[in-house]
Amino acid sequence: MEKNTLWSGGRLSAALNQSMADLNRSLDIDKRMADQDIRGSQAWAKATCAAGILTEEEYQMIHTGLEQVRQEIADGSFVYQETDEDIHTAVERRLTEIIGPVGGKLHTGRSRNDQVVTDFRMWMMDTIPELEAQLRELQQSFIERAKKDIDVYVSGYTHFQQAQPILLSHWWMSHFWALDRDRQRLSEAAQHADSLPLGCGALAGTAYAVDRFDIAETLGFSIPAPNSLDAVSDRDFACDFLYWAAMLGMHLSRCAEAMILYSTMEFGYITLSDAFSTGSSLMPQKKNPDSLELIRGKAGMQSGHLFSLLSSLKGLPSAYDKDLQEDKQLVFAAADTASLVMSVMKGVLDTLTVNKERCLAAINTQALATDLADYLVKKGMPFREAHHAVGKAVKLSETMKCDLKEIPLDKWKGISELFDEDVYKTFSIESAVDARCAWGGTARFRVLEQIRFAEKVLANS
Ligand code: ARG
């Protein structure tokens, strides 16, 4: 009989059907957990040695053999075989080739169920700090933009209609804060990954007297999971990570969407660097914001990853089911995509140019209508009435086909006696911006203060 699996020759006699083997094989995905698998196995060997299952000599052989496997994988000399179902099988197969039958003792008291999810949690705990560092750098780029563009006035939009003028820096900083919440979510995902499943066996716990607290410490976990069934079935930590990635993707997509519009010929607020744009194979004039479009496009995939895992999990009964094998592909793809979009967004921000004059010129005087209402409020009119009066003025300017600031004083007075010569002073974009002076508003001094606060938050967390 052909021996092509970990279990053939025992309970099961036939070789695995080829399509079934292909479906079953997860090696191409999970081989990126090789390092975690080796560290996990070394910790397990140490624990089983301490529990008297391995002799000191056997433990040393296993430890050294695993080091050689690590070396072979690192230098590329490791040869994966057709029958290696996953990275865990491959490492153990090679270990046994190197050290002989003693290699077969490594798996005593352990199941792939606790092994796989231990490796997976370790991978996540190893990877999150790298993603966190990247997220920080991206936040820093938003800060740099905000500092650089502090003199740029631009329209703020609601419903994508001009609403009130703001500083472009205020807009950049709005994205900083969204990313800051993402950074908190990422560190929460790391906390949720921090519970050791190893030593839970297949589902019921291990029958050998290993010290799981000791294993946890060796592998850098805060605690060993307190329930063996929960430990092998729980993939909440993976969902938390995917939620982080989906949220980050959505945040960057919203920012990208606005920037795509701002970079059009019609808006012309910003110009992307050629390094982050592409041309058209047909239209010679085209310069397309593909970087931003792909950031927006990837956001859909990122939410899909979360949805896929939740859908896979919802029907699973207790403990391990093979459906769980699909978890890693989703998380790895989400991590790779998040890393790539963060890096591209950073590049876009660092290299774009802002067209200050276009930003200013596009602000319509109507965007100062709230300031006109505030003008009347300051003269004692209730806000609701003031809103109505200014609405009339806007309508009048439209019928007169003129700008609000061109309406003559007698017409203003026709709307309300409270209007006076000083109404024309209201038509200052700078004053309108500086009027939003409560904490969190777009007034220049507040934005500068906000930038300093953001820098402090970034440095202290
Ligand atoms: N490659 C599998 C996974 O990633 C290994 C677990 C197999 N466990 C089992 N009981 N068949 O989930």
Side-chain angles (χ1 to χ4, degrees):
M1 196 213 70
E2 198 187 337
K3 181 169 168 29
N4 70 348
T5 62
L6 283 175
W7 55 85
S8 51
R11 165 73 177 79
L12 306 182
S13 49
L16 204 59
N17 164 279
Q18 191 53 52
S19 304
M20 172 52 201
D22 293 345
L23 182 65
N24 198 36
R25 187 175 153 105
S26 58
L27 180 69
D28 288 340
I29 306 291
D30 56 35
K31 64 179 167 202
R32 66 195 278 180
M33 300 195 307
D35 180 63
Q36 288 78 16
D37 193 68
I38 290 167
R39 274 156 50 211
S41 286
Q42 287 174 329
W44 183 246
K46 182 170 160 244
T48 48
C49 176
I53 299 148
L54 295 179
T55 64
E56 184 59 32
E57 194 192 343
E58 287 169 334
Y59 163 62
Q60 285 306 337
M61 280 173 78
I62 289 175
H63 183 88
T64 318
L66 285 167
E67 277 310 307
Q68 185 178 329
V69 176
R70 181 202 303 284
Q71 197 47 49
E72 290 177 6
I73 291 175
D75 66 25
S77 63
F78 191 101
V79 184
Y80 290 102
Q81 291 183 1
E82 190 56 36
T83 48
D84 291 337
E85 184 187 319
D86 53 26
I87 188 63
H88 324 288
T89 323
V91 168
E92 197 183 318
R93 188 257 313 148
R94 182 68 191 129
L95 173 71
T96 308
E97 283 170 8
I98 298 168
I99 67 168
V102 174
K105 292 197 173 190
L106 169 63
H107 210 54
T108 317
R110 184 175 70 166
S111 158
R112 265 189 306 162
N113 300 353
D114 57 347
Q115 181 184 2
V116 163
V117 71
T118 298
D119 294 358
F120 193 23
R121 284 175 180 270
M122 285 168 71
W123 183 89
M124 197 173 280
M125 286 159 71
D126 289 344
T127 305
I128 285 178
E130 292 165 21
L131 293 168
E132 205 262 356
Q134 249 195 300
L135 189 45
R136 250 171 211 285
E137 281 179 29
L138 179 56
Q139 285 183 279
Q140 191 60 45
S141 287
F142 276 102
I143 291 183
E144 295 311 320
R145 275 262 60 111
K147 284 182 172 171
K148 213 184 256 173
D149 302 330
I150 193 70
D151 293 320
V152 180
Y153 293 86
V154 71
S155 177
Y157 297 87
T158 61
H159 310 265
F160 221 67
Q161 305 295 319
Q162 288 206 8
Q164 292 173 340
I166 55 171
L167 289 184
L168 181 59
S169 303
H170 196 49
W171 189 77
W172 291 129
M173 289 307 290
S174 70
H175 300 291
F176 170 92
W177 295 111
L179 295 184
D180 209 55
R181 293 190 296 278
D182 289 337
R183 205 159 52 82
Q184 289 167 31
R185 272 183 277 272
L186 184 59
S187 80
E188 281 161 22
Q191 285 165 31
H192 293 155
D194 183 9
S195 168
L196 173 82
L198 200 58
C200 286
L203 75 161
T206 191
Y208 298 88
V210 289
D211 183 344
R212 295 190 59 227
F213 287 88
D214 206 43
I215 306 173
E217 206 183 306
T218 309
L219 291 177
F221 285 89
S222 304
I223 46 156
N227 180 301
S228 61
L229 280 172
D230 181 47
V232 291
S233 44
D234 173 20
R235 293 298 185 275
D236 298 5
F237 66 97
C239 293
D240 290 336
F241 181 85
L242 294 178
Y243 177 59
W244 163 77
M247 189 69 100
L248 172 75
M250 181 275 288
H251 282 148
L252 295 182
S253 175
R254 290 182 72 174
C255 179
E257 163 66 9
M259 285 165 74
I260 290 168
L261 281 158
Y262 295 166
S263 71
T264 56
M265 209 175 262
E266 288 76 7
F267 277 81
Y269 295 177
I270 58 173
T271 308
L272 299 196
S273 143
D274 287 357
F276 292 94
S277 311
T278 60
S280 156
S281 56
L282 177 76
M283 299 166 280
Q285 88 285 10
K286 285 301 285 289
K287 177 172 163 181
N288 297 325
D290 290 29
S291 48
L292 296 169
E293 291 168 71
L294 286 165
I295 288 171
R296 190 177 56 187
K298 295 287 184 196
M301 283 180 54
Q302 295 292 68
S303 351
H305 292 135
L306 172 62
F307 189 69
S308 297
L309 186 57
L310 287 172
S311 309
S312 292
L313 291 175
K314 74 173 267 297
L316 303 188
S318 184
Y320 183 87
D321 302 274
K322 201 56 175 270
D323 318 43
L324 291 176
Q325 180 162 280
E326 304 303 324
D327 56 1
K328 286 164 286 295
Q329 182 164 11
L330 298 168
V331 165
F332 294 163
D336 293 344
T337 304
S339 170
L340 205 52
V341 295
M342 284 193 284
S343 159
V344 170
M345 185 55 110
K346 180 177 158 48
V348 168
L349 292 173
D350 293 350
T351 57
L352 62 81
T353 49
V354 170
N355 312 317
K356 187 177 166 189
E357 288 72 30
R358 287 293 297 261
C359 292
L360 183 65
I363 302 173
N364 190 286
T365 319
Q366 286 191 6
L368 302 173
T370 321
D371 300 85
L372 281 166
D374 290 340
Y375 165 93
L376 291 174
V377 167
K378 275 184 202 134
K379 296 198 173 196
M381 189 184 278
F383 179 75
R384 281 286 155 231
E385 270 176 53
H387 184 282
H388 192 72
V390 177
K392 275 190 180 163
V394 171
K395 198 162 181 191
L396 180 66
S397 77
E398 284 177 355
T399 23
M400 289 173 67
K401 295 197 184 342
C402 72
D403 195 280
L404 269 176
K405 60 184 169 222
E406 286 158 16
I407 297 178
L409 188 58
D410 61 315
K411 298 272 191 215
W412 284 109
K413 285 211 171 284
I415 294 170
S416 165
E417 268 307 317
L418 291 176
F419 281 117
D420 228 323
E421 194 61 53
D422 59 355
V423 68
Y424 297 102
K425 286 199 197 133
T426 318
F427 300 111
S428 153
I429 289 164
E430 288 85 345
S431 322
V433 164
D434 280 332
R436 269 75 204 183
C437 60
W439 165 257
T442 192
R444 187 188 163 97
F445 82 99
R446 285 296 187 195
V447 175
L448 288 168
E449 185 180 56
Q450 185 190 157
I451 295 171
R452 284 195 299 275
F453 179 56
E455 286 179 318
K456 218 185 278 168
V457 166
L458 205 52
N460 297 336
S461 57

